[in-house]
Amino acid sequence: MMSLGKKFICGIAALVGWLLSMPAQALGELENVTLTVYVYPIGSPHAFLENDITHPQGLDVDIIYELQRRLLFNLRENRIFPLDRLTAFERLNAGEADLVGGGISYTYDRSKIYSFTPIFLSSSLSVVYSPKLHPEIKSLKDLKGLKVGVERGSTSEAYVARVGAQPVFFSNNILALFQLAHGEMDALIYDRPPMVDFVATVPSVGLKVLAEPFGEDACQFAMAMPKDSPYAKAISDAMEQMMMDGTMGVLLKKWGVESN
């Protein structure tokens, strides 16, 4: 039988071996590198603006700060910039952004253009509507022929076409929700988590989210980077480590969402 002393020595040796085997990024692989990082303030839990409109909050923001803590990179102007999704993608294409978060869905087509981190949250799309103005809406198929709000370039576009609805394009989901409440569109298709949060926190608008989830394949959330970014491997490896050591689970729980 192994003595307690030998067990202790073996335990220390195993711990040292584990530390030495950890990926290099855990030791600050991107130290002295400055990254330009954007998040789309889609709403809670991903990213949103509250008291300080120049410093977003949310799950994606916390993930980015944890990546910074592990990799030791600097943030340009020492902050994460809020920016609409289409412009953020344009900046990725132009090489003017290093990392973009905020409700960014991984899709096969996008993966041809951008590099992605590992998927850290799976969700679904939802239909938002006014039960007072449109009590007949009970499911996705009831949107046929109606004016349905959709963000241009989002994964929701395909569903508007699929059900035979008339697309009403918008660039700001919060403004679109108030337009919906005032009857300027009949319904809206969008990522489920921020819609559920909005309807619950702003009951005065009188909107409702259909219980029927759909579009899970279009809501595999990750963060985007320029294709073949020199930082992609370090960032993705660090995020994988966050998933393995339980940090990601803690952040997901903080923002009230379930892990994959």
Side-chain angles (χ1 to χ4, degrees):
M1 180 180 293
M2 186 181 296
S3 69
L4 290 176
K6 287 184 178 180
K7 286 183 178 180
F8 178 77
I9 293 171
C10 289
I12 292 295
L15 176 61
V16 170
W18 177 75
L19 290 171
L20 291 175
S21 69
M22 288 181 70
Q25 77 276 0
L27 303 177
E29 187 174 334
L30 301 186
E31 188 173 9
N32 300 320
V33 172
T34 298
L35 301 184
T36 301
V37 180
Y38 296 96
V39 294
Y40 173 43
I42 183 176
S44 183
H46 289 287
F48 58 95
L49 301 173
E50 201 165 62
N51 298 328
D52 186 346
I53 63 171
T54 63
H55 290 80
Q57 303 177 52
L59 170 63
D60 292 39
V61 175
D62 282 358
I63 291 172
I64 292 165
Y65 282 132
E66 178 62 20
L67 289 171
Q68 182 187 32
R69 189 186 71 80
R70 293 174 184 235
L71 297 172
L72 301 183
F73 57 79
N74 300 311
L75 289 167
R76 185 164 70 87
E77 297 185 19
N78 197 32
R79 68 188 183 99
I80 298 167
F81 298 90
L83 193 66
D84 69 273
R85 185 172 4 217
L86 286 180
T87 305
F89 277 128
E90 288 171 1
R91 295 195 182 183
L92 282 175
N93 292 331
E96 298 171 353
D98 297 301
L99 183 65
V100 171
I104 304 300
S105 300
Y106 169 90
T107 67
Y108 175 72
D109 288 339
R110 285 179 177 173
S111 70
K112 297 176 183 177
I113 307 171
Y114 309 104
S115 291
F116 281 88
T117 67
I119 293 165
F120 58 85
L121 177 64
S122 297
S123 185
S124 63
L125 296 173
S126 61
V127 173
V128 190
Y129 70 104
S130 167
K132 179 179 178 180
L133 299 177
H134 287 281
E136 78 281 4
I137 295 178
K138 303 296 182 184
S139 69
L140 185 64
K141 61 182 177 56
D142 294 328
L143 302 185
K144 183 176 181 180
L146 298 183
K147 295 183 294 181
V148 177
V150 62
E151 186 176 25
R152 190 181 296 277
S154 72
T155 52
S156 304
E157 276 194 73
Y159 289 91
V160 175
R162 192 174 302 174
V163 299
Q166 304 173 43
V168 178
F169 293 106
F170 62 81
S171 58
N172 184 299
N173 63 307
I174 301 299
L175 291 179
L177 285 163
F178 283 104
Q179 289 178 298
L180 174 62
H182 287 89
E184 296 177 36
M185 58 183 77
D186 301 313
L188 182 150
I189 294 179
Y190 207 71
D191 298 332
R192 188 174 185 82
M195 296 298 95
V196 170
D197 179 76
F198 180 87
V199 169
T201 55
V202 192
S204 60
V205 296
L207 298 178
K208 187 174 181 179
V209 178
L210 279 181
E212 173 190 20
F214 62 95
E216 288 84 352
D217 58 328
C219 294
Q220 303 297 305
F221 296 114
M223 296 190 194
M225 297 169 281
K227 194 67 175 175
D228 302 320
S229 164
Y231 314 124
K233 185 178 187 306
I235 290 172
S236 293
D237 286 351
M239 193 174 288
E240 289 280 7
Q241 190 65 36
M242 289 168 62
M243 294 175 178
M244 291 174 60
D245 65 23
T247 303
M248 187 66 72
V250 170
L251 294 179
L252 291 169
K253 185 176 181 180
K254 172 185 174 180
W255 291 103
V257 288
E258 298 294 328
S259 59
N260 296 330

